[in-house]
């Protein structure tokens, strides 16, 4: 079949105050992103964190950059070493750093210099329950996210866990900048629907760039 959308250019949509979605922004570079993720995971493999409540997270995680997000029975924190093997995190690839900086700038956040990149890996059924990201020191700094592989339904809520949520499909190449009034909104990911993606197989990956310190 002739693919009417094969040459579709990226486009952007305002999501909420302070939040912008850049649809398909890195779609043409997806394989390069996936190869960088593979190289990072060769050194610091994905593993499943334990929540402070004692549950094993369904999302597997690794990190790159100076700091990595972690969780154990004592709480959530950013750490300069991988608790699984005592190694520091691999450096943030130039491509990652440049994208985070340029997407933030295009959304109106100048000078975004992330020091952490959390890499989430979703297998079928993996989910992220509604939460706020508030372990970073300066909440005037945005978070930039990049979605790769299988699509997922993102839940975008309000400032209370019980507030109604918008449902937004995030697909390979989508980049979202979350800042300003959106920075403390509750959000999550519904259980991943099984599928085979031509570039990423049975997984979804998500990068989140953060300025922690
Ligand atoms: C909205 N990750 O790692 S990225 C996370 O797809 C996380 O793996 C999801 O939530 C994922 O913490 C969603 C989109 C995202 C990231 C941070 C946000 C949305 C956000 C911070 C504030 C508001
Ligand atoms: Fe989050």
């Amino acid at each position: 079949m002739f693919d009417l959308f094969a040459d579709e250019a990226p486009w952007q949509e305002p999501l909420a105050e302070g939040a912008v979605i850049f649809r398909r922004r890195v779609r043409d570079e997806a394989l390069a992103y996936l190869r960088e993720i593979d190289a990072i995971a060769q050194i610091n493999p994905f593993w499943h964190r334990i929540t402070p409540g004692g549950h094993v997270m369904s999302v597997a995680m690794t990190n790159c950059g100076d700091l990595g997000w972690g969780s154990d029975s004592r709480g959530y924190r950013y750490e300069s070493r991988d608790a699984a093997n005592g190694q520091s995190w691999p450096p943030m690839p130039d491509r990652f750093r440049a994208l985070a900086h340029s997407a933030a700038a295009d959304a109106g956040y100048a000078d975004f210099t992330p020091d952490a990149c959390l890499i989430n890996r979703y297998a079928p059924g993996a989910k992220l329950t509604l939460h706020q990201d508030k372990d970073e020191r300066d909440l005037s700094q945005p978070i930039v996210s990049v979605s790769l592989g299988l699509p997922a339904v993102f839940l975008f809520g309000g400032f209370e866990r019980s507030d109604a949520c918008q449902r937004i499909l995030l697909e390979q190449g989508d980049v979202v900048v979350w800042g300003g009034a959106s920075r403390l909104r509750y959000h999550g990911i519904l259980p991943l629907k099984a599928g085979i993606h031509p570039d990423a197989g049975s997984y979804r990956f998500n990068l989140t760039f953060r300025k922690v310190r």
Side-chain angles (χ1 to χ4, degrees):
M1 263 299 270
F2 183 74
D3 184 354
L4 286 172
F5 298 103
D7 295 319
E8 190 174 43
W11 69 99
Q12 78 180 67
E13 299 165 11
L15 255 185
E17 199 185 327
V20 188
I21 179 162
F22 296 96
R23 296 275 188 196
R24 315 294 186 265
R25 180 164 178 139
V26 299
R27 181 188 56 186
D28 295 348
E29 295 169 79
L31 281 172
Y33 279 86
L34 290 164
R35 278 193 282 267
E36 295 281 15
I37 293 169
D38 267 347
I40 291 163
Q42 297 283 326
I43 304 169
N44 294 74
F46 285 98
W47 55 287
H48 294 267
R49 299 280 180 166
I50 311 292
T51 65
H55 298 282
V56 178
M57 294 185 75
S58 58
V59 177
M61 298 172 167
T62 187
N63 292 272
C64 63
D66 291 342
L67 293 167
W69 185 86
S71 169
D72 63 18
S73 58
R74 295 175 301 153
Y76 303 130
R77 76 191 80 82
Y78 285 95
E79 299 169 317
S80 56
R81 290 178 180 280
D82 185 344
N85 60 11
Q87 306 270 354
S88 56
W89 302 106
M92 215 181 276
D94 290 341
R95 177 188 301 276
F96 286 20
R97 193 183 297 284
L99 179 275
H101 186 271
S102 70
D106 291 349
Y109 303 97
D111 307 319
F112 181 54
T113 55
D115 50 16
C117 172
L118 170 62
I119 308 174
N120 290 335
R121 187 186 70 188
Y122 295 77
K127 63 179 167 40
L128 209 52
T129 54
L130 282 180
H131 66 279
Q132 291 172 298
D133 288 27
K134 54 182 182 188
D135 298 326
E136 303 76 27
R137 183 176 294 168
D138 179 1
L139 295 174
S140 74
Q141 294 288 320
I143 290 179
V144 175
S145 80
V146 178
S147 292
L148 297 157
L150 290 174
V153 178
F154 174 74
L155 297 175
F156 193 36
F159 299 100
E160 310 272 2
R161 190 183 294 279
S162 57
D163 288 348
C165 290
Q166 293 182 62
R167 289 171 176 230
I168 299 154
L169 190 70
L170 292 179
E171 298 177 78
Q172 172 152 289
D174 290 349
V175 175
V176 195
V177 179
W178 320 85
S182 292
R183 185 64 175 73
L184 284 177
R185 285 173 69 155
Y186 277 89
H187 58 278
I189 294 282
L190 288 185
L192 192 79
K193 187 173 169 328
I196 302 291
H197 188 279
D199 301 328
S202 54
Y203 293 115
R204 170 178 186 261
F205 297 91
N206 182 265
L207 311 174
T208 45
F209 296 94
R210 300 140 187 274
K211 175 82 175 153
V212 174
R213 291 189 177 147

